[in-house]
Amino acid sequence: MSIKIKKITRNKMSFKQRIYLFYISLGMLRTLKHFFKNLLNTKNIDFLEYPEQKPTDITSRYRGLHRLTKNEDGELKCVACDMCATACPAKCIFIMASEVESKKEKAPIKFSIDMLECVYCGLCVEACPKDAIRMDSGIYTKTGFDRQSFVRDIVELSNTKGGF
Amino acid sequence: MTLLIILRIVFILSFVLVLIPVLVLLERKISAFIQDRPGPNRTNIAGIRLGGLVQALADALKLAIKEDFTPSSIRSKFLFALAPMILFLLSTLTIAVVPFSDYFTLDGVKYLMQGIPFDGGILWYLGLASLSVYGIILAGWSSNNKYSLLGSLRASSTVISYEIPLGLCVVSMILTYNSISLNDFVLAQQGSFFGLPAWGFLIQPLAFIIFLVCAFAETNRAPFDVAEGESEIVAGYHLEYSAMSFAMFFMAEYIAMTAMAALIVTIFFGGYSLPYLSSSDLMQNYELTLVCLAIFVSVFGLIFIRWLVKNNVTRYKTKADHRKRENKFYIAMALLVVLAIDLVCLYFYAYSLESFGKEMMALVINASVFSVKTFVMLFVFIWVRWTMPRFRYDQIQRLGWEMLMPLAILNIIITALVVIYVN
């Protein structure tokens, strides 16, 4: 049995196309128009002067930095079940649990996320049974001068407000 | 006399070396404007950003203090280190024969205003420009990397397809100008041709187009920069290079581009001369020249200030508006430069010029005209890069061998017939 062969005939270029120069000059005119439009009036360029101007069109589904949520009494919802740390593909969540005397029996005493390892996949948010960790802070940049400043600890995580 | 020797070497060297950061800035700004974005606009020294030039200086500093890493897998450490040097040196040497001003007459002796006072300028240029591809080939081969080797193979394929039409174009221009000295090329273009300035691209339009196409290939610029290829061969011949040795390839490309732009200007756009005006005209009517110069500089300065006030503004609400302070600095500097040039012109207008002064005036004007023309040509180089996609290397070979070479030979025949039977 022979293989089915489909022959594709290429469209022959017209002389105007084969000589290149005509269409090249048309394209160059187009780019030149853009260049002079922007050179003569740089205010027309649509851009954001980023650190001073913040984007306003972030959707509520955007994954910003993590935060730990609190219940009505003001204590962390987290029960240190380690589900998020287990689900994390980058292994960037570190939890140390301890017993507490309140409604819940267990709570984290240490909860830190290494933002240099984090891939912002959101699996920790999906895994959490208590809705204790969310990525809705609306913060889209994290800057720092050393590695240690990128490890966000429990204090920082629980003090972050929800952005959306 | 020693002053003249130092002057021309310093001018031509500083012309190419100072132009590198300016060209990096131009490349980024022009590409940004073509793609509707603002380009580098953050880096500053005390709030002064020089339109993004500080960014180029920061890049240079970064490359200079980076670790120059040599992989252990390379074939020959000597050749690996030598390759960027060859490319850089040969690119720098090519521009040395381009005249940037007319003869400087001192005590009845005429001095050629080139980095190297050599009459067979175009031969020197062609020889060294075609040698510089050895740098690319050596770099690709000694890297011991398949992608680098592919890049250098593609570079050599470009060279064999473009050297010949380029040389043939030059032959037809030599027939037209009846000389191989680049200065004679410029002198021949100072007349007029059917009412238009007798510039090479009007006399020999076919040779101009072929030469321009080959020039892009010769300098490894888009759309013929097949030696590089981010999407196909990772980076190309400079893949294994880091820090300053990479920067040398980078600088060599810009120097080659400057040299090629200067050569195109010299062959096809009247070189250092203004249209219809020879430098003896400038020197005879030096008073009128000085007045025109002063008026031109003042008008240009005012246009620049108006553009600055309109465009250099902050687009968000802020208490400390650094751009207002920056604008004050720019306006002060622009006014200072305009005032200085006007005062110098006025001084020379009041106290009439001796022959040495006239020669100096012609030198300054010629060198400025040459720089402006070269800048326009460099703009075209960058403009083409941000318009056209890269050709495949077999397409380049077909273009070079099947289209450009027959056309160039045809052009030589026509030129020769015209030279013999018409003149």
Side-chain angles (χ1 to χ4, degrees), chain B residues 226-261:
Chain B
V226 281
E228 301 159 35
E230 311 82 44
S231 46
E232 313 106 72
I233 48 171
V234 190
Y237 58 94
H238 53 61
L239 174 59
E240 300 283 5
Y241 286 87
S242 53
M244 211 55 207
S245 45
F246 166 73
M248 272 166 95
F249 283 119
F250 200 63
M251 291 193 286
E253 182 186 319
Y254 282 118
I255 293 174
M257 202 168 107
T258 316
M260 191 43 103

Side-chain angles (χ1 to χ4, degrees), chain A residues 28 31 38-39 42 45 52, chain B residues 33 36 42 307 311 315 387:
Chain A
M28 284 179 66
T31 45
N38 294 323
L39 178 73
T42 50
I45 306 175
E52 291 88 6
Chain B
F33 282 158
D36 288 341
R42 286 270 141 204
W307 178 85
N311 286 299
R315 296 154 54 115
T387 304

Side-chain angles (χ1 to χ4, degrees), chain B residues 79-101:
Chain B
L79 289 179
F80 186 78
L82 192 69
M85 295 179 203
I86 291 178
L87 202 63
F88 188 79
L89 182 74
L90 291 175
S91 307
T92 318
L93 280 178
T94 48
I95 203 177
V97 288
V98 180
F100 57 88
S101 176

Side-chain angles (χ1 to χ4, degrees), chain B residues 290 338-349:
Chain B
L290 285 174
V338 168
L339 200 69
I341 293 175
D342 283 357
L343 278 179
V344 168
C345 288
L346 193 73
Y347 176 81
F348 285 130
Y349 187 78

Side-chain angles (χ1 to χ4, degrees), chain B residues 286-300:
Chain B
Y286 73 94
E287 285 173 328
L288 187 64
T289 313
L290 285 174
V291 171
C292 288
L293 188 66
I295 292 172
F296 176 75
V297 168
S298 312
V299 168
F300 186 77

